[in-house]
């Protein structure tokens, strides 16, 4: 039976970068190396334009009936004035919540060819390979109550709730321990247990679970210190696990260590490893449609899909290696451009990777 892949380019550069990854899928299909069916559906601003809401019913139905989702990016200035429930971001958040994609894996790997693109000194980032495991369906992103209300004096107050159940902490920490077992066997749990009760519980549950993983060395770090340590000496980390919002922030920092946010893929998995795969960068409306965006984060997200949801490790390895060879050849999109390299556009970069795979 064919594998079903839902393709959701979204908005802005999402459209161009997803197109390059889809070409690779077509290539694997037409060369009989992957039995796959692809269906495209609008999400984010495109969902609003097509059906009046950021996650149209048909898009959600397609997501549910697919084996994996390839997602681009969402958002654009033309949607900023919409009511909060209609904004593009809501489409992404609703997909994560509806499909219970609680485990967000964000690897930050520095390709040696890009050591000079990092804003940190090469010796600080050379060989960098961190996995950030971000909780994705709980915490302050989804906690109730939330809102903006007006009190008796007429002053407005905005509020959100940072809440985690033990079961939510339990499952995300187990994902992180399992990943640590397959890597360097070191796990750093990031929290704010010196101030927040919810972090106190987080730390307690993670610590309790450590007894099931005696081979993993567990440490704890407050989030402010973790942010500092990430730019001071990032190679001290192997796997990091943290709440939704801390993970959002720390993963952008980690991305920049690798030279460009345009290089980092992600996987968002449910309890059965069904997943949504997306570059961690946004829709970059300022450069959309100009053929200058970096498609590599999306292409590497496709590799993660093949690895984590479709059990196609060999094809995933091929993509990773092809990206390495293209960088070896000195091809660079604008975001990672360096002296002595050749600057290429989105399509040329995608085609170069495809050529390596052929
Ligand atoms: C991310 C993004 C999203 C998030 C936005 C677009 C809602 O920043 O995936 O990191 O905050 O989770
Ligand atoms: Mg983010």
């Amino acid at each position: 039976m064919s594998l079903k892949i839902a393709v959701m380019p979204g908005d802005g550069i999402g459209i161009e970068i997803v197109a390059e990854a889809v070409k690779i899928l077509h290539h694997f299909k037409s060369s009989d190396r992957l039995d796959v069916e692809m269906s495209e559906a609008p999400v984010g601003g495109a969902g609003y334009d097509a059906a009046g809401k950021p996650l149209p019913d048909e898009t959600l139905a397609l997501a549910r009936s697919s084996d994996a989702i390839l997602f681009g990016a969402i958002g654009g200035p033309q949607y900023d004035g919409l009511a909060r429930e209609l904004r593009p971001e809501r489409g992404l958040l609703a997909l994560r919540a509806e499909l219970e994609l609680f485990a967000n894996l964000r690897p930050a790997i520095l390709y040696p060819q890009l050591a000079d693109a990092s804003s940190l000194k090469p010796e600080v980032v050379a060989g960098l390979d961190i996995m950030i495991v971000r909780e994705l369906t709980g915490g302050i992103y989804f906690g109730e109550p939330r809102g903006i209300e007006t009190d008796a004096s007429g002053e407005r107050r905005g509020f959100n709730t940072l809440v985690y159940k033990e079961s939510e902490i339990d499952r995300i920490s187990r994902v992180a321990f399992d990943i640590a077992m397959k890597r360097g066997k070191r796990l750093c749990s990031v929290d704010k247990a010196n101030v927040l009760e919810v972090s106190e519980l987080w730390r307690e549950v993670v610590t309790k679970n450590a007894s099931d993983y005696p081979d993993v060395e567990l440490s704890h770090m407050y989030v402010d210190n973790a942010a500092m340590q990430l730019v001071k000496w990032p190679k001290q980390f192997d796997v990091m696990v943290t709440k939704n919002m801390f993970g959002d922030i720390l993963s952008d920092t980690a991305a920049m260590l690798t030279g460009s946010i345009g290089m980092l893929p992600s996987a968002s998995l449910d309890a059965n490893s069904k997943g949504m795969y997306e570059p961690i960068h946004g829709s970059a409306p300022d450069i959309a449609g100009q053929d200058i965006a970096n498609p590599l984060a999306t292409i590497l997200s496709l590799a993660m899909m093949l690895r984590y949801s479709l059990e196609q490790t060999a094809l995933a390895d091929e993509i990773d290696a092809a990206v390495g060879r293209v960088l070896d050849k000195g091809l660079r999109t604008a975001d990672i451009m360096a002296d002595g390299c050749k600057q290429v556009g989105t399509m040329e970069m995608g085609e170069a990777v495809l050529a390596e795979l052929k």
Side-chain angles (χ1 to χ4, degrees):
M1 215 177 60
S2 301
L3 295 163
K4 284 186 68 183
I5 298 182
V7 178
M8 303 188 184
D11 308 317
I13 60 168
I15 297 158
E16 306 152 63
I17 55 179
V18 165
E20 297 310 310
V22 167
K23 285 179 196 164
I24 294 175
L25 273 172
H26 278 298
H27 164 64
F28 286 150
K29 181 180 159 86
S30 64
S31 53
D32 286 329
R33 308 190 57 204
L34 187 65
D35 184 9
V36 59
E37 296 299 333
M38 289 160 265
S39 318
E40 199 173 307
V43 70
Y48 176 78
D49 291 339
K53 51 185 183 175
L55 180 58
D57 299 342
E58 284 174 20
T59 301
L60 178 58
L62 178 69
R64 285 195 199 285
S65 66
S66 300
D67 295 297
I69 303 158
L70 182 64
F71 191 95
I74 40 95
Q78 68 271 46
Y79 307 110
D80 286 350
L82 292 175
R84 203 169 313 116
E85 321 76 64
L86 296 177
R87 282 189 209 144
E89 291 74 15
R90 289 282 144 179
L92 175 58
L93 296 171
L95 263 178
R96 290 172 178 172
E98 291 288 340
L99 301 181
E100 274 200 79
L101 305 171
F102 69 92
N104 185 212
L105 317 187
R106 300 192 158 188
I109 296 170
L110 181 86
Y111 278 83
Q113 300 91 329
L114 300 184
D116 290 328
S118 176
S119 46
L120 298 192
K121 296 190 196 90
E123 65 268 27
V124 176
V125 291
L128 186 74
D129 181 353
I130 300 175
M131 177 68 91
I132 295 184
V133 179
R134 168 189 178 194
E135 200 292 326
L136 203 61
T137 52
I140 200 164
Y141 271 54
F142 294 96
E144 299 282 349
R146 61 190 297 161
I148 300 174
E149 62 185 19
T150 308
D151 70 12
S153 73
E155 186 180 16
R156 289 189 304 158
R157 114 186 222 284
F159 52 96
N160 289 88
T161 304
L162 174 43
V163 53
Y164 271 108
K165 292 190 286 195
E166 282 183 287
S167 55
E168 292 174 295
I169 307 168
D170 180 70
R171 64 182 183 177
I172 191 67
S173 63
R174 288 185 185 280
V175 167
F177 276 113
D178 285 336
I179 290 175
M181 282 299 289
K182 293 187 194 144
R183 295 176 38 112
K185 299 195 171 59
R186 286 181 300 117
L187 176 63
C188 179
S189 172
V190 176
D191 63 36
K192 192 69 187 175
N194 50 344
V195 179
L196 305 174
E197 286 80 356
V198 57
S199 272
E200 223 175 284
L201 182 67
W202 176 281
R203 194 175 276 221
E204 196 186 304
V205 173
V206 174
T207 304
K208 179 170 65 62
N209 284 348
S211 60
D212 292 336
Y213 299 87
D215 294 339
V216 176
E217 183 195 312
L218 173 68
S219 59
H220 302 274
M221 202 177 269
Y222 297 140
V223 63
D224 49 350
N225 185 28
M228 182 175 77
Q229 296 298 332
L230 261 180
V231 288
K232 186 177 174 200
W233 190 245
K235 284 187 269 185
Q236 68 187 280
F237 298 110
D238 176 22
V239 181
M240 303 174 92
V241 62
T242 192
K243 300 187 182 78
N244 203 340
M245 188 159 74
F246 295 165
D248 179 45
I249 299 166
L250 294 179
S251 61
D252 269 26
T253 306
M256 221 34 234
L257 301 176
T258 71
S260 171
I261 198 163
M263 291 297 298
L264 290 213
S266 78
S268 306
L269 306 175
D270 74 1
N272 305 311
S273 292
K274 170 171 170 165
M276 179 156 88
Y277 296 81
E278 53 173 316
I280 85 155
H281 60 71
S283 56
D286 53 322
I287 60 163
Q290 298 173 37
D291 192 41
I292 53 178
N294 186 346
L296 293 180
T298 311
I299 290 171
L300 294 169
S301 297
L302 173 61
M304 285 189 91
M305 177 193 289
L306 292 161
R307 197 180 297 287
Y308 288 96
S309 286
L310 306 183
E311 288 169 30
Q312 298 285 339
T313 312
L315 295 182
D317 288 344
E318 272 187 51
I319 293 180
D320 288 345
V323 169
R325 285 199 300 277
V326 166
L327 295 174
D328 280 338
K329 288 184 171 164
L331 300 192
R332 300 283 188 273
T333 42
D335 55 313
I336 49 175
M337 184 56 191
D339 283 350
C341 292
K342 179 181 179 220
Q343 188 163 331
V344 296
T346 310
M347 284 192 276
E348 200 176 341
M349 184 58 105
E351 272 149 28
V353 176
L354 193 58
E356 289 295 329
L357 291 167
K358 281 182 174 167

